[in-house]
Amino acid sequence: MEVTCLLLLALIPFHCRGQGVYAPAQAQIVHAGQACVVKEDNISERVYTIREGDTLVLQCLVTGHPRPQVRWTKTAGSASDKFQETSVFNETLRIERIARTQGGRYYCKAENGVGVPAIKSIRVDVQYLDEPVLTVHQTVSDVRGNFYQEKTVFLRCTVNSNPPARFIWKRGSDTLSHSQDNGVDIYEPLYTQGETKVLKLKNLRPQDYASYTCQVSVRNVCGIPDKAITFRLTNTTAPPALKLSVNETLVVNPGENVTVQCLLTGGDPLPQLQWSHGPGPLPLGALAQSGTLSIPSVQARDSGYYNCTATNNVGNPAKKTVNLLVRSMKNATFQITPDVIKESENIQLGQDLKLSCHVDAVPQEKVTYQWFKNGKPARMSKRLLVTRNDPELPAVTSSLELIDLHFSDYGTYLCVASFPGAPVPDLSVEVNISSETVPPTISVPKGRAVVTVREGSPAELQCEVRGKPRPPVLWSRVDKEAALLPSGLPLEETPDGKLRLEHVSRDMSGTYRCQTARYNGFNVRPREAQVQLNVQFPPEVEPSSQDVRQALGRPVLLRCSLLRGSPQRIASAVWRFKGQLLPPPPAVPVAAEAPDHSELRLDAVTRDSSGSYECSISNDVGSATCLFQVSATSCPRTTPMCCSGPRGSLTLSTPCSTTDSVSASLTRAWAGALVEGVARWASGNSLYLQLNQHNAMVKAIPVRRVEKGQLLEYILTDLRVPHSYEVRLTPYTTFGAGDMASRIIHYTEPINSPNLSADNTCHFEDEKICGYTQDLTDNFDWTRQNALTQNPKRSPNTGPPTDISGTPEGYYMFIETSRPRELGDRARLVSPLYNASAKFYCVSFFYHMYGKHIGSLNLLVRSRNKGALDTHAWSLSGNKGNVWQQAHVPINPSGPFQIIFEGVRGSGYLGDIAIDDVTLKKGECPRKQMDPNKVVVMPGSGAPRQPHPQLWGPMVIFLLALQR
């Protein structure tokens, strides 16, 4: 099928769009807050500078149809920055009282489903200056025995700031520097990254006893004023020293009043004292004043380490610590251990038996235990032993061992733990030993092995324990490694064997283990069982929303898939069109597994069948909906994909299933303003139109046999520089016209355009090397250097000593052929892209090929008329002597082109090749070659050029078919 396509050049303002025309999203970030400055940094990087504590306001201005959705995200911030973990869906981002941790790069992403999303970014730099901190350190060293001492003082000034602060040291009102006083040294310590400056006073002199000021400044950026701190240095300046009024370990009874004094024994200036408690703050009601710490009516929870710290910014702080122990006891437990030697788990007459008793106490080692049998103190004998600190049991545990158990040993045993002479209540635990004392068993009640509840409801998991005595039950997770219980603990004790969960969530689903504890019962291998918890929750489906566009008369298949849910099955699926219930779709054939999706097929899309379709999927717990917006069109929308070709060209995608033709329109403008002018379309027979206010071109673009993914191109020739153009593309099928896509291309006279009226010689003096780039597909790169930057260890007898000018400052490009380079390795230097606005060009350049291992120097021309094609234009090989020589190479490119200098490594390391002063001019090359030994100083490449209209090379339009 072949249908003529129309190319229309029409003068239409690009900001006027018809109703229903789809346009991709575009975005721009502007600021409306208290910015200090917004500047361009490095390579077009926008930097927004703001003072800490001010309000940040960024707006993302978007255009496009449908209206794009805006999402703000952030990177390069602090890990504690909560904004980094979330996204803000709003066109305006506002942060009150911005903090330094909120600096970083902010991204605005605008997306409307048409084309690729528009992403813009800006870096926010938060400026601040904290108060400086000044500390003093001194060293004393003996010189020549003990005849005299040298004292050196270091004044260290530290500040946190952004940007880095500038430091100024003053003695009194005089500014200090190295050059003014030999006894002063000012330096920055290693690894401090600019936030610290040290003033060193060497071999302290009488005049060094004075007031010193450290002034820090960020040069009034964002209006932040300078800050300063002053220290008075005297002959009595000394670090702090302390002593305590009590021992380092203090044991007290609960309810007592505790007073600890921290006494200063030295320090000038007078140190400041501060009390702290670890872990946590000082107890409620504690009073710290003038070095005295008072705790009224101390309790067990007040135990811990109390630190007294003295600081005066001289030397290191002095610190003393008191370990306060408040006597207490809790958690009395017992264990019954059958005969270990015989590996028994039951109590049997004639075997040994051990009863153990333990309490958690402070201090643990001061606890005493006493055993009773049937209310009377147990009498020690050869068969009844009391031991302490059994290595197989927790520390400070008392054990009563019964050797060769007799019937008369049955009875009730009582263990009493106490602190002698202390007003702390005793704790006791009772153990009954008889023929009925048996180890535990555990099981899950019938019907309770699997518990199923809905998300948000309470759940109860239960295990039953039998035995005498009955130990506590410990619960844990089974199917998740290192997973915690909902309480946040890896193990949870329940006295009745029931684990109660409130407001269960889907992540609580899984297997839970219940097991018997080895305390308050038999000290034997734990018995265990498992319970499965299933948490049901409503389904989640995809797509939640989808825009479906199809050509008129073509079929469409809508699918709503179940992603997850519990139960993971579809109980029902209901389809609606514009809110009206549709007949159920044909039943899916019965399969081994339940279907995980529901489908609706439209045999032919029409204007009447276009609209909103909903699919509601239920799993008996809840439901979720897929939304489809189906629209019929003669061809799906076309979307600009990228720009390529000379001075930029337009790549457009057309997802038409049977594209017959494409219509494009081109609007010409001067500097973006629509004015009167002329445009010309040349292809075969030229069509030239000139209007007073409009420029119009008509051209047929036939499209044949479009395959999915096929790249189509069309060339617009004889366009003029420095005009700007808008290109519009519309696909056509037998059903009519599809949606239009457009791209505005603004052009100015580029630096890489050959110009006869100005010098176009590249001397490689600038780091940008005239727009030349290194080829990414070669083996190594060309190097830019001059006589001053040469490697002093470079290979002799190869390479030029200077550039063509003979001055040490002049730069040139060369290839270094030393190791690891190998025979045949290639380095390619690629020029910018030039438009072929003339039939002939001449490439002139100087080359230096000196060394016994010289390989080859090739000049290639890369044509970009249709794809990239490299052709050899000139080549030279072998040693040509230690001189610069000039070559003139004629070329006649058929379209946009680049020139490539290719250096090929020879058989050894003495094969460096260099080039300099590359010139590209229109016209033929001079017939008479220049003297190769003559040094020629080429004109500078910075001569100004007057802008003037000139013909472009062709503009290439690419079309990509996405559907068949």
Side-chain angles (χ1 to χ4, degrees), residues 595-610:
D596 60 355
H597 63 273
S598 179
E599 294 180 345
L600 177 66
R601 179 179 178 85
L602 305 179
D603 294 329
V605 177
T606 64
R607 301 292 184 185
D608 294 336
S609 62
S610 299

Side-chain angles (χ1 to χ4, degrees), residues 674-690:
L674 302 178
V675 298
E676 179 179 331
V678 177
R680 185 175 62 184
W681 175 261
S683 178
N685 296 325
S686 298
L687 174 64
Y688 179 86
L689 297 177
Q690 179 174 0

Side-chain angles (χ1 to χ4, degrees), residues 816-894:
E816 173 60 65
T817 57
S818 300
R819 296 181 61 184
R821 303 278 68 85
E822 297 179 354
L823 176 65
D825 281 359
R826 299 173 183 268
R828 285 187 164 194
L829 189 66
V830 185
S831 77
L833 185 66
Y834 300 110
N835 285 319
S837 56
K839 186 175 182 180
F840 297 104
Y841 287 90
C842 181
V843 181
S844 300
F845 60 93
F846 285 86
Y847 62 88
H848 190 283
M849 301 174 67
Y850 170 55
K852 65 178 181 179
H853 300 143
I854 290 291
S856 301
L857 175 63
N858 302 319
L859 177 68
L860 298 88
V861 178
R862 175 173 294 173
S863 175
R864 289 191 174 272
N865 190 16
K866 291 187 177 182
L869 178 63
D870 297 345
T871 58
H872 278 265
W874 178 90
S875 181
L876 195 63
S877 302
N879 183 5
K880 302 305 175 185
N882 190 13
V883 292
W884 283 98
Q885 304 184 59
Q886 190 175 27
H888 302 283
V889 181
I891 61 174
N892 56 341
S894 60

Side-chain angles (χ1 to χ4, degrees), residues 248-357:
E248 292 183 353
T249 300
L250 180 61
V251 181
V252 297
N253 294 319
E256 293 181 354
N257 296 326
V258 175
T259 300
V260 181
Q261 288 184 327
C262 188
L263 305 176
L264 285 172
T265 60
D268 183 21
L270 183 66
Q272 299 292 322
L273 295 175
Q274 184 177 8
W275 281 95
S276 61
H277 178 227
L282 291 174
L284 188 64
L287 179 63
Q289 186 175 10
S290 300
T292 301
L293 174 65
S294 300
I295 307 176
S297 187
V298 70
Q299 301 298 320
R301 62 179 177 272
D302 300 331
S303 295
Y305 290 93
Y306 290 80
N307 306 305
C308 175
T309 305
T311 57
N312 66 348
N313 290 340
V314 179
N316 295 321
K319 182 178 179 180
K320 293 292 183 180
T321 301
V322 176
N323 183 14
L324 179 62
L325 300 177
V326 182
R327 292 186 178 93
S328 63
M329 290 190 300
K330 61 181 180 179
N331 299 334
T333 59
F334 70 90
Q335 289 179 312
I336 303 173
T337 306
D339 198 322
V340 177
I341 297 177
K342 297 184 179 180
E343 298 181 354
S344 176
E345 291 191 349
N346 295 282
I347 298 176
Q348 298 182 23
L349 296 177
Q351 294 184 358
D352 297 345
L353 181 67
K354 180 167 61 177
L355 307 179
S356 303
C357 175

Side-chain angles (χ1 to χ4, degrees), residues 474-478 480 482-494 499 501 512-513:
L474 302 178
W475 287 89
S476 62
R477 299 289 295 266
V478 175
K480 296 185 179 180
L484 301 178
L485 292 167
S487 62
L489 301 173
L491 284 174
E492 186 170 336
E493 176 184 323
T494 58
L499 178 64
L501 305 175
Y512 289 73
R513 177 192 294 115

Side-chain angles (χ1 to χ4, degrees), residues 333-337 347 353-357 371-374 400 409-415 428-434 437 468-469 520-522:
T333 59
F334 70 90
Q335 289 179 312
I336 303 173
T337 306
I347 298 176
L353 181 67
K354 180 167 61 177
L355 307 179
S356 303
C357 175
W371 286 92
F372 296 85
K373 177 185 178 182
N374 296 329
L400 177 67
D409 294 327
Y410 286 167
T412 301
Y413 291 83
L414 179 69
C415 173
S428 62
V429 61
E430 189 176 82
V431 185
N432 185 267
I433 302 299
S434 68
T437 304
K468 188 177 181 181
N520 291 348
F522 276 74

Side-chain angles (χ1 to χ4, degrees), residues 73-87 101 103 106:
T73 56
K74 174 180 176 291
T75 61
S78 169
S80 61
D81 186 0
K82 297 302 181 184
F83 177 68
Q84 183 179 359
E85 302 172 4
T86 59
S87 299
T101 56
Y106 288 79

